[in-house]
Amino acid sequence: MDKKRLLASAAVVLVLGGLIYLQVHEWSTFDWATFRDQTYRVKKWHVVHAVALIYVAYVLRALRWKIFLRPVRPKASLLGLTSSTLVGFTGLALLGRAGEFIRPYLIARRENLPFSSQLAAWAVERIFDLGSFAVLMLLAIFLPSALSSIPHPEYYRKFQQGGILLIGVVLAMAVGAVFISRSGEAVAGWIEQKFGHLSSNLGHRLAMRVREFRVGLNTIHGPVSLICLIVVSLGMWYVIARAYQEVAHSYGVDALEIPVSQVLILMGASMAGSMLQLPAVGGGSQLATITALTHVFDVQPETATSCGILLWLVTFAAVIPLGLLIAHRERLSLRTLSAESHQAEEAE
């Protein structure tokens, strides 16, 4: 496992190194003094407000998980779930993909539930995240005059095409979820049969994921629960968008005085770039955000670089101090939790 992670990290470093080289080569006149001045002139209150909004988003994420747990743990503590959420995202920020199972593992351990049930809820959570962000993005793209004021209107058609593709992905996921909810066992059996001849372990693991996902769908306990999950998810992503907006407005630059509808474009770029992340330092999300700021919004390279880094610090790394404090108070080791969660995942 360590060798695989090392190879994956090396591949990410190579790709990021190439992208950074191309970006720096394009910015042959980058002025570090301007970068420093723009960073020092940031309005601190906007940044504090953005961090507060991000923490509100973590509470909403914990509230959504509480709704997931309602059928089996109706009295689950929102405070306890928020604590697990903060520690889990701290592990993800510091350890990268190695820490992605910490949150469902902690929740399963604290609520005395099977780890597989919380992995299932974690998988369903991804659908609500993508679906909610897609709804907000589509509103931003297709509402009249939502993006017409961007400096480069030629991108507007590309955003619309991307929005249509996003609609297709979300609809396909929704149809797949309904199908697995009704015929999940049959799908799992078919997968085991078809892929078992390639590798019995591969067929078994894929079938297990399908069964876990079906269990996760059972956490949506009726239409009221579904509506609550949708409302909380939309509210959470809107709060995150407002946090992005606060960071952009903290620079006091006309090019960054962008409305929430356009902020969603930055969020989309950051989410796409996060697929190339290094533990504790990021890389992909900052680079993607900086590229969007310079090419779509005509922000100067120095300001765009400062803003891209600050956005990453606020939206991704700001959880680390409080998460480490909670982990220290509860005597939790992130590396131990990461190892235990992966061992539990393998055992499942």
Side-chain angles (χ1 to χ4, degrees), residues 8-9 11-17 19-20 91-97 270 272-290 308-309 311-313 315-317 320:
S9 297
V12 171
V13 169
L14 289 174
V15 173
L16 285 176
L19 292 173
I20 292 171
L92 184 62
L94 291 176
L95 304 177
R97 299 302 178 190
S270 177
S274 65
M275 296 175 66
L276 289 172
Q277 290 286 96
L278 290 173
V281 298
S285 60
Q286 299 100 304
L287 188 61
T289 304
I290 293 167
I309 294 172
L311 278 170
W312 178 80
L313 289 172
T315 60
F316 191 71
I320 293 175

Side-chain angles (χ1 to χ4, degrees), residues 148-186:
S148 59
S149 60
I150 59 175
H152 292 280
E154 64 271 18
Y155 284 109
Y156 188 67
R157 175 58 60 183
K158 295 181 180 179
F159 292 147
Q160 286 185 324
Q161 293 171 350
I164 293 172
L165 178 61
L166 192 58
I167 292 174
V169 171
V170 172
L171 288 177
M173 292 177 66
V175 171
V178 172
F179 185 70
I180 290 176
S181 176
R182 295 181 177 180
S183 308
E185 188 58 40

Side-chain angles (χ1 to χ4, degrees), residues 26 29 41 43 84 108 113 221 232 235 242 261 270-271 297:
E26 181 181 347
T29 59
R41 289 169 54 189
K43 299 174 183 176
S84 298
L113 290 167
H221 197 62
V232 171
R242 289 299 305 272
S261 59
S270 177
M271 291 171 66
F297 297 99

Side-chain angles (χ1 to χ4, degrees), residues 91-327:
L92 184 62
L94 291 176
L95 304 177
R97 299 302 178 190
E100 63 184 349
F101 292 149
I102 290 178
R103 182 164 52 108
Y105 177 75
L106 263 181
I107 294 173
R109 194 170 76 175
R110 288 174 171 176
E111 299 298 332
N112 195 24
L113 290 167
F115 180 48
S116 59
S117 68
Q118 299 314 291
L119 276 180
W122 176 74
V124 174
E125 181 189 54
R126 298 295 183 88
I127 291 184
F128 280 97
D129 280 339
L130 181 59
S132 300
F133 179 75
V135 169
L136 295 176
M137 178 70 82
L138 293 176
L139 289 175
I141 293 174
F142 290 102
L143 281 180
S145 303
L147 292 178
S148 59
S149 60
I150 59 175
H152 292 280
E154 64 271 18
Y155 284 109
Y156 188 67
R157 175 58 60 183
K158 295 181 180 179
F159 292 147
Q160 286 185 324
Q161 293 171 350
I164 293 172
L165 178 61
L166 192 58
I167 292 174
V169 171
V170 172
L171 288 177
M173 292 177 66
V175 171
V178 172
F179 185 70
I180 290 176
S181 176
R182 295 181 177 180
S183 308
E185 188 58 40
V187 173
W190 180 84
I191 288 175
E192 280 186 313
Q193 183 180 8
K194 290 295 182 181
F195 291 92
H197 70 282
L198 297 176
S199 169
S200 58
N201 187 49
L202 174 63
H204 176 70
R205 290 179 68 86
L206 291 175
M208 182 184 68
R209 295 302 182 200
V210 172
R211 293 186 178 103
E212 284 179 354
F213 185 63
R214 186 187 183 195
V215 172
L217 292 172
N218 292 334
T219 60
I220 306 173
H221 197 62
V224 175
S225 177
L226 177 61
I227 292 171
C228 290
L229 289 168
I230 292 173
V231 170
V232 171
S233 299
L234 287 171
M236 182 189 74
W237 281 102
Y238 179 75
V239 168
I240 294 173
R242 289 299 305 272
Y244 269 75
Q245 186 183 41
E246 286 293 324
V247 173
H249 289 185
S250 70
Y251 285 84
V253 177
D254 290 341
L256 287 174
E257 292 294 321
I258 51 181
V260 173
S261 59
Q262 296 179 16
V263 165
L264 290 163
I265 301 299
L266 285 182
M267 292 174 63
S270 177
M271 291 171 66
S274 65
M275 296 175 66
L276 289 172
Q277 290 286 96
L278 290 173
V281 298
S285 60
Q286 299 100 304
L287 188 61
T289 304
I290 293 167
T291 301
L293 286 170
T294 53
H295 289 84
V296 179
F297 297 99
D298 272 353
V299 180
Q300 293 299 313
E302 296 82 4
T303 307
T305 303
S306 176
C307 186
I309 294 172
L310 185 57
L311 278 170
W312 178 80
L313 289 172
V314 168
T315 60
F316 191 71
V319 69
I320 293 175
L322 184 54
L324 288 178
L325 180 63
I326 294 172

